[in-house]
């Protein structure tokens, strides 16, 4: 009898627990709908944002604890907060995995120094541009034959997979292009002498040269300007996109955007 009582008690407890879980989900859902009806800017739970964290100073691991920091991270945190999200979660993945993750619903948005391009615009929506960028080439310091992009014909070029730098390299006649998972890896291969040049984003290579890269690398030729970074969002999440644009405008108007910009791009950096 005692055993039966125990089992019955256990089943009872399980039923109570299950109904609590169900009630929890239910009340959470209703709660969300109610707040949404009252005010669209009211507290939302979580904004999940994808990035590829080897792109300093936009997104990269902090030397101390490996936490992802950078201009993009500060910007999206400020945007998410303005939009009323309680929590902003950063998810790391390969650069070429970001757009598929947006479209499968794994992430709500991506901020990754991602250039707004016509090809990408077919797959996702972009926020208003938040940073003007461009492309640049670097070679080893001791290289005295490559002086411009034109000199890269037939050379070995390292790039990051799925980026505008990779597309640019593919256009160069006879170039042997090697795709790496990150720009950092492409730079290491330049140091090792396995590639003659790296093509990547202007602000990222400039930061790299300032930080440590100038010990073995130098910039060549004129940068190719005219690129703009945008935050990518799924085509069917118009509300998220509108919220991002509205928050970004407010941050620009209030001077908060400028503060974040200065933190990462001041002369002393
Ligand atoms: N801006 C480049 C692009 O969009 C590179 C971005 C990156 O490597 N994170 O392709």
């Amino acid at each position: 009898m005692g055993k039966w009582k125990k089992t019955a008690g256990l089943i009872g407890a399980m039923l109570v627990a299950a109904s609590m879980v169900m009630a929890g989900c239910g009340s959470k859902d209703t709660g969300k709908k109610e707040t949404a009806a009252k005010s669209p800017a009211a507290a939302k739970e979580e904004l999940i944002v994808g990035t590829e964290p080897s792109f300093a100073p936009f997104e990269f691991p902090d030397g101390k604890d490996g936490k992802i920091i950078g201009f993009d991270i500060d910007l999206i945190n400020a945007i998410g907060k303005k939009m009323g999200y309680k929590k902003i979660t950063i998810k790391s993945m390969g650069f070429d995995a970001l757009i598929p993750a947006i479209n499968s619903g794994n992430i709500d948005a991506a901020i990754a120094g991602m250039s707004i391009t016509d090809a990408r615009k077919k797959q996702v929506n972009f926020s208003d541009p938040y940073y003007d960028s461009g492309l640049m080439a670097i070679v080893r310091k001791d290289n005295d034959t490559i002086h411009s992009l034109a000199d890269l014909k037939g050379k070995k070029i390292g790039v990051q997979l799925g980026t505008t730098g990779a597309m640019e390299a593919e256009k160069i006649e006879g170039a042997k292009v090697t795709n790496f998972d990150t720009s950092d890896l492409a730079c290491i291969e330049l140091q090792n002498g396995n590639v003659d040049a790296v093509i990547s984003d202007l602000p990222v290579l400039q930061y790299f040269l300032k930080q440590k890269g100038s010990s073995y690398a130098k910039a060549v030729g004129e940068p190719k300007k005219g690129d703009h970074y945008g935050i990518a969002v799924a085509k069917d999440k118009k509300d998220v996109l509108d919220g991002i644009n509205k928050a970004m405008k407010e941050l620009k108007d209030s001077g908060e955007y400028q503060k974040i910009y200065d933190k990462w791009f001041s002369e002393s950096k």
Side-chain angles (χ1 to χ4, degrees), residues 40-41 44 47 76 78-85 127-128 231 233 237-251:
K44 302 176 199 84
L47 181 70
I76 198 67
I79 288 174
K81 217 168 125 197
K82 269 237 175 297
M83 288 169 80
Y85 282 99
S127 69
D128 295 332
I231 301 168
V233 181
K237 288 191 178 157
K238 196 77 179 57
D239 51 333
V240 177
L241 186 76
D242 292 346
I244 288 175
N245 281 335
K246 186 169 171 276
M248 192 141 68
K249 187 174 182 313
E250 285 169 17
L251 292 172

Side-chain angles (χ1 to χ4, degrees), residues 79-243:
I79 288 174
K81 217 168 125 197
K82 269 237 175 297
M83 288 169 80
Y85 282 99
K86 286 192 204 152
K87 190 174 170 204
I88 295 123
T89 303
I90 305 292
K91 258 195 190 178
S92 296
M93 58 191 75
F95 187 77
D96 60 334
L98 289 167
I99 289 183
I102 290 171
N103 286 328
S104 68
N106 256 342
I107 53 177
D108 298 313
I111 190 160
M114 190 183 282
S115 307
I116 301 171
T117 67
D118 287 340
R120 289 175 185 155
K121 273 203 277 192
K122 288 189 185 132
Q123 305 175 66
V124 288
N125 279 337
F126 280 101
S127 69
D128 295 332
Y130 69 86
Y131 187 93
D132 295 338
S133 188
L135 290 172
M136 185 169 103
I138 56 168
V139 298
R140 269 186 316 281
K141 231 166 136 180
D142 55 11
N143 183 311
D144 48 18
T145 55
I146 301 172
H147 305 286
S148 68
L149 283 183
D151 294 335
L152 290 175
K153 278 184 195 146
K155 299 284 186 219
K156 286 184 266 175
I157 306 174
V159 294
Q160 180 177 5
L161 184 68
T163 61
T164 45
M167 287 175 237
E168 190 64 29
E170 292 294 351
K171 285 192 225 156
I172 298 171
E173 212 186 295
K176 291 176 252 337
V177 181
T178 311
N179 285 276
F180 296 96
D181 281 341
T182 67
S183 308
D184 291 353
L185 281 175
C187 290
I188 290 169
E189 288 303 278
L190 176 72
Q191 184 173 25
N192 293 343
N194 295 329
V195 296
D196 302 307
V198 169
I199 299 182
S200 186
D201 286 28
L202 174 66
V204 170
L205 289 181
Q206 276 174 338
Y207 187 85
F208 162 76
L209 290 176
K210 252 191 212 173
Q211 294 289 311
K212 54 178 191 273
S214 57
S215 61
Y216 68 87
K218 63 178 179 188
V220 283
E222 281 298 306
K224 204 168 166 273
K225 295 234 175 111
D227 240 6
H228 308 282
Y229 293 164
I231 301 168
V233 181
K235 292 230 182 236
D236 59 2
K237 288 191 178 157
K238 196 77 179 57
D239 51 333
V240 177
L241 186 76
D242 292 346

